Amino acid sequence: MTVSVSARPYDFTFDPAQVALVVIDMQRDFIEPGGFGDTLGNDVSRLKDIVPTVAALIGLFRKLGLPIVHTREAHRPDLSDCPPAKRLRGAPGLRIGDTGAMGRILVAGEPGNAILPELAPLPGEIAIDKPGKGMFWATGLHETLQGMGITQLVFAGVTTEVCVQTSMREANDRGYDCLLIEDATESYFATFKSAAIEMIVAQGGIVGWATPLAALAAALEVEHV
Ligand code: TIU
C-alpha cells in the first residue's frame, strides 16, 4: 500500500509500513522561559503556538498505530558528551550545565529538559537523548530505524533551521525520504523558518518535502484532529 500526500516540491509517496514520525526537541528548555533557548537570548514565546498541531500529528500516528520517535537535546550530568566548543559558545545568560529556573540547562533528567507534558512519549514509543543538533550523532537511532524497516520519516518540532533541519539533512544522507510538516515546526526567527523550508524543497527536494498537517491527514483519509 502506498499513500500519496500533496506536498512541495511534488507529491510525497510513502508506504505506511515503512514510515515513522520524528518529533524533534519539543522540550521545556526550548519553549518555556528560563530554559536553554531563553538563555541564548531568544523570544521563546513564538514556539508554543505549534503545540496543538504537533499534538494532533502525534495523535494521528497513534491512531494509525505507526511508530513515533521523540528526541531531546540533552547532555549527561557530568557534561562528558558536551564539547567545550558547544558549552563556551557565545555569551548566554546561563551556560549548559548551569542551574536555572527549571534546573540545570540542557541536562538530561532536569525538569527543563523534559518534553512538554502534553506531547510526552507514551510507553512503546522511542525517546532518545541527543547531544548534538542532529538526531543521528551519537544516538544509535539509524540502527534502530533500520531494524524496524523504516525508510521514510515525517518531521515536526523545533527549531526548524537548527535541530529539525540538521536532523533532516542527516537523514537525507542516510537514505531516508523526509517530509516536514510545515505547521508543526517553528523557529525563534520567522524568516529562518521560511528560508529553511525553501532550502529543503528547492532543487527538486534536495533535502526533502514539506506540507501542512491537513494534507497528510487528508491523504491518510482520517479526520484532521
Ligand atoms: N538555538 C536553536 O535554535 N536551537 C537549538 O539550539 N536546538 C534545537 O533546535 N533543538
Side-chain angles (χ1 to χ4, degrees):
M1 175 190 170
T2 57
V3 175
S4 193
V5 186
S6 175
R8 289 190 294 149
Y10 57 92
D11 288 359
F12 180 80
T13 301
F14 69 94
D15 178 351
Q18 297 184 310
V19 77
L21 171 64
V22 179
V23 184
I24 300 285
D25 300 358
M26 290 298 291
Q27 299 163 259
R28 300 181 68 199
D29 251 321
F30 295 103
I31 298 167
E32 295 187 14
F36 182 58
D38 190 6
T39 71
L40 295 176
N42 297 300
D43 172 9
V44 298
S45 68
R46 286 185 48 79
L47 270 47
K48 63 180 184 313
D49 289 353
I50 64 163
V51 172
T53 309
V54 177
L57 177 59
I58 291 172
L60 180 60
F61 272 70
R62 283 180 181 156
K63 186 172 168 181
L64 296 170
L66 299 177
I68 303 174
V69 177
H70 306 258
T71 71
R72 287 175 295 250
E73 187 172 344
H75 293 283
R76 296 186 195 125
D78 65 4
L79 303 185
S80 58
D81 59 356
C82 182
K86 181 175 182 181
R87 180 169 149 76
L88 299 176
R89 187 76 49 83
L94 293 170
R95 294 194 186 277
I96 296 167
D98 291 348
T99 300
M102 297 189 289
R104 294 180 69 203
I105 299 290
L106 220 57
V107 169
E110 297 289 331
N113 203 240
I115 292 171
L116 299 186
E118 55 269 56
L119 304 177
L122 290 182
E125 296 174 357
I126 298 167
I128 61 159
D129 288 338
K130 59 179 185 55
K133 304 304 182 193
M135 67 183 188
F136 292 111
W137 167 245
T139 63
L141 181 59
H142 185 42
E143 291 71 19
T144 301
L145 293 175
Q146 282 183 311
M148 296 165 66
I150 301 296
T151 58
Q152 292 171 304
L153 298 171
V154 175
F155 279 86
V158 296
T159 61
T160 315
E161 81 283 6
V162 183
C163 288
V164 175
Q165 183 175 210
T166 302
S167 295
M168 284 186 77
R169 288 177 181 272
E170 284 188 340
N172 190 47
D173 282 351
R174 284 165 177 77
Y176 298 90
D177 289 322
C178 300
L179 173 67
L180 176 60
I181 303 302
E182 294 179 40
D183 46 352
T185 183
E186 194 48 88
S187 167
Y188 299 122
F189 306 89
T191 53
F192 288 0
K193 173 179 174 175
S194 54
I197 293 172
E198 292 311 313
M199 283 183 238
I200 285 163
V201 304
Q203 305 182 67
I206 194 79
V207 178
W209 287 255
T211 204
L213 174 57
L216 178 63
L220 289 165
E221 294 178 342
V222 294
E223 193 115 341
H224 182 183
V225 197

